[in-house]
């Protein structure tokens, strides 16, 4: 099974992930106040905590 390096994925897609996280916060916590950069940094740390350095993914999720 192929593997992806989670830190590289998060760093590569940081703007897209941050936008998705902000959109989610607007939907689920519309009155919350937060710094978007701090929120994303915390999110990224939690991803690293919950995932292995190299995370297995199905072959159909990878295109080379």
């Amino acid at each position: 099974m192929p593997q992806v390096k989670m830190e590289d994925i998060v760093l590569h897609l940081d703007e897209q992930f941050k936008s998705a996280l902000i959109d989610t916060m607007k939907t689920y916590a519309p009155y919350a106040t937060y710094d978007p950069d701090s929120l994303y940094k915390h999110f990224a740390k939690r991803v690293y905590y919950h995932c292995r350095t190299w995370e297995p993914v199905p072959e159909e999720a990878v295109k080379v």
Side-chain angles (χ1 to χ4, degrees):
M1 182 174 278
Q3 297 178 331
V4 293
K5 189 174 181 185
M6 290 306 299
E7 183 175 7
D8 289 352
I9 298 297
V10 171
L11 289 172
H12 181 75
L13 296 173
D14 65 341
E15 289 302 317
Q16 295 89 336
F17 281 176
K18 185 189 286 186
S19 293
L21 182 57
I22 300 307
D23 286 349
T24 299
M25 291 298 292
K26 287 178 184 175
T27 300
Y28 284 92
Y31 303 107
T33 57
Y34 53 86
D35 174 56
D37 292 327
S38 294
L39 178 66
Y40 181 72
K41 285 179 185 176
H42 182 76
F43 167 75
K45 285 180 185 178
R46 301 314 297 165
V47 169
Y48 303 147
Y49 176 80
H50 287 278
C51 295
R52 294 174 254 178
T53 301
W54 287 94
E55 196 66 46
V57 295
E59 283 190 34
E60 55 272 5
V62 179
K63 180 179 178 182
V64 180

